[in-house]
Amino acid sequence: MSRQNRARRTLLERESELGAVDGALTDLCGTHPGDPSGPRTGGVIAFAGPGGVGKTELLGEMRRRAAARGCTVLSARGGEHEQGLAFHVVRQLFQPVLAATGEEEHRRILGSWYDIVAPAVGLVVSGGGASPDPQGVRDGLDWLVTRFAVEHAPVIVILDDVHWADTESLDWLIRFAPRVVDLPMLLAVGYRPEDLSADAAGIRGLSERQGSRPHVLAPLTPGGVGRIVRDVLGEEADEAFCRECWAVTGGNPFEVVELTAKIRDRELKPQPENMAVLRELVSSAKDSGLNDRLTRLGTAAVRLAWAVAVLGIEATPVLTTNVAGLSETEAAEVAVRLADARILAQPRGGPGNQPLEYLHPLIATAIYQAIPGALRVAMHGQAATVLLAAGRGSAAAGRHLLEMHPEGDGWVVQQLREAAREYVRAGAPEAARRCLARALREPPGIEERAAVLHELGCSALLTEPETTINHFWAALEEPVLDPALREAAILRLAQAYGHSGRTETAARIVAEEASLAGSARTRLRMQAEHFMWSAFRADEPDSPARSRRLARLVEHLSGRGSAERYLLALRAWDAVVRGEPATSALRYAEEALGDGLSWTDGDWGFEVPILVALTFMYCDQPGRAEELFNNGIAEFEHKGWRGAHLAFGLTLLGYIRYRRGRLAEAEELVREGLRIADRVGRTTPAHWAAIGTLVETLLRRGRVEEARELAAAHDYGVTVPKAVVYPDAQAVHGELLLAQGMHREAGAQLVAAGERLEARGMRNSAWCPWQLDLAQVLALTDPDQAMEVAQEAVRRARQFGTSSAIGRALHAAALVTQGSERIKLLAEAVAHLERSPSSYDLALALVDHGAALRRVGLPQEAADRLYRALEGAMQCGADALVIRARDELSASGLRPLQLRADETGTLTSQEQAAAERAALGWADEHIAEDLGTDARVVVRLLSGVYRKVGTDRTGLAKLLGRARRPPAAPPTSPATEIPATPTPATEDR
């Protein structure tokens, strides 16, 4: 029976479904083929039903109709025995597209995604490439499909037997499907609802998300079955006979077609007296009857059919011949007989190297299950050998090796380990774990077992660190363990604990290893890890003691080697959180940075490079911090690390923008970081950081209710994180409560945050300004204590020494002070903030200073402050502050003037000239003299430079480079600065 005739018969009573197909194609392609004016609406259409009901034939008809309309068609199908082969369905979609071109064209098509996506789609890449995380691969596939859809529109993607699709392809498909409505693409899927696994359950909702339901294919009616019977057996077929055919098949189109073919082959008259033999014929359509029919075709036919069942989609004639142990001529003859017997499908496009396929998946299942167990295992082993010899790779062979019985075969272990490496390279850690777990059951030799356990732990370290802990412990307990492997396992174990929120355990493990280390190099490396994980502990028992040990250790380091540079970086960060002079922190950070730190070094992690970048931010050089974060994010994206790593990078880059006062940019970045963090999982450090930064950003923009709703939706503030996060969650929650007017609750949160941080020696108000907010709370009930808290914050800020920290602390102190002292403090706060890169803090201080000046009868000075505040607030995107500034101007009898265009990030010619001279160390008065202006104008010019470039005066030389010409005269006095109040020496270590 031809495929066309069979399709015509099995598509009986599918008018509704075919109408839906035509409607979807018309939405995609327009009313007429090639009509450029027609609509281009993509979407999803799904067909569901039990095996044999006609989904495949319906999708085949859709393929034919789409091709007739000029569509580009991609197709794939799931395989019952290929579900463990990662990206099996994805590769079917794209390998035909890529097979006809070479690497140069592949790189053109995939662009910057080549190294990330190529292994997933089955292209061979160099072994030294990146190992992306699953999210990176999904994003790359999204990009590839989107580009393909745009370049080859309209596109139809047909996926049959999706219930058998591999996990990795399914995960991508379910996440990508909602986007097709915005592309010139139609996604068509067919599946059996009763066979959907837990991983595939999301398939049910693909079409429902776009307002439609899956088309559930119903069995044929008695009339439909009668039509098929009469088409095959003649119009004289008896009505009762036709109804009995419907009864014994349940109206299943596949079973009806097979039954009528057998009736015809038996030359059975379609009359009532022959109805008794119908049930006997039904059983021969599947199960034992099918295998009896196969046996009658001969031994060679059985061997070939079994080989096709074992190989599945890989059953090309050459590979099948080798697995079956037949000659090419004999195999070709047998394949024809199997097709004539309606066991194999007729070859698509004629003979060639197209895979051999069963006529229907129901037949494939029945034949595979009929292969004797021992022989099936042996055939899988033969299939693995044949695939490797054909150059298909260890991953393709690995799915067959998984079916073999463990026999202590070292070759099997070797191939499974190689398959796992291929899967890790393709961003499929789950598949890698399956291979390595099976390798352990082989088992490997005693000298190899620790390495396999270590690889098993590493396979999921990026995505599920907590699940890897036991594997690393098992590796460390092996009797044969190379010292280098032991060191690597300890470090990975600490990372697994640290990334699971158990930083105290991570710190303890590396500290114990440091005490046992036999070499100075290993000891120093473990010490670096110990200090790092200790820095992230929220419950460290004696943080000051650890700081003293770190300071003593760093005194003897020269900065040579990664371990020493990482220790210098940790010393810089420790200086920041403890509030030591920023100049010291910057010196350590510069030494640690050297010629750069990698953010994707698997041995060292990304935590320390982040701390270096944040050190520059807190030390009033956010421009340097942004450069480092941008480089780090580029590394993450290049390597395909688009999970928690990218979430952290985007969130903290947003935090830098928040600190600079670029609130709209900050909100956009942090929302993207939060979106990625949500995919990774809640309660992770990346998630805490995103929520906290977004809450603070919304508060500065005046959207208090939105911030409250965000915090409530994520249970933010309900618990304190187990690890140190930026910004501090408890302090941010207190700030939110204060903004809501819940002063008592805010005070409790801020006091608790302060006690916790004080115990750890974390006293820098620039890092966590809990004292500044607490002073505002106390001012309502205990003004004296409020002043005491604010003055302590000022003292600590002066000790740290950055203009932004001192300015914010002075501003907070002014708000709890009355009379002329308030105006004096506000003026000093403005003067310091003018020398900082903190745009929002300056605008806020200017508003309060202007308001205070207005109230004491100094309208001209007030107007100057308020106009500048309004302009700064608008540039920051601080809507509530804009309203305050306008209200204060109105209260002064003034109205806002036409504001200058926002030139954030672009220096004027005067600002550039002043900046170049300041970078050379010129004093303000010398700059003013050289530029022919007033010193106060120079202060204003440089204030704009600091905010636009993102640095204070000390960082200008780094960001701008040296001026183009030498100074007209050497500076004779230091650059004008606000004198700092002498402070006691830093706490004794």
Side-chain angles (χ1 to χ4, degrees), residues 854-855 866 884-895:
R854 177 183 66 80
R855 291 183 177 89
L866 292 172
R884 275 195 61 201
R886 289 185 183 277
D887 290 345
E888 288 292 344
L889 283 167
S890 296
S892 302
L894 302 169
R895 59 186 181 87

Side-chain angles (χ1 to χ4, degrees), residues 715-748:
D715 296 326
Y716 189 79
V718 176
T719 59
V720 177
K722 296 180 180 179
V724 175
V725 295
Y726 322 112
D728 185 82
Q730 196 170 25
V732 172
H733 189 220
E735 181 183 354
L736 173 60
L737 293 170
L738 177 60
Q740 295 175 255
M742 302 171 67
H743 297 90
R744 183 175 60 82
E745 295 86 348

Side-chain angles (χ1 to χ4, degrees), residues 197-217:
S197 65
D199 291 333
I203 292 295
R204 298 178 189 272
L206 287 186
S207 57
E208 293 176 0
R209 293 178 189 173
Q210 298 179 20
S212 63
R213 286 180 168 274
H215 297 274
V216 180
L217 275 61

Side-chain angles (χ1 to χ4, degrees), residues 61 87 149 159 170 261 265 305 329 333 467 492 574 639 658 850:
E61 180 63 20
F87 296 111
L159 301 175
L170 266 177
D265 294 344
T329 302
E333 294 174 352
T467 65
R492 297 296 194 279
D574 196 58
K639 200 162 185 176
Y658 158 82

Side-chain angles (χ1 to χ4, degrees), residues 355-373:
L356 301 174
E357 298 179 89
Y358 280 99
L359 185 66
H360 196 277
L362 291 173
I363 298 176
T365 299
I367 289 180
Y368 183 83
Q369 292 175 348
I371 305 174

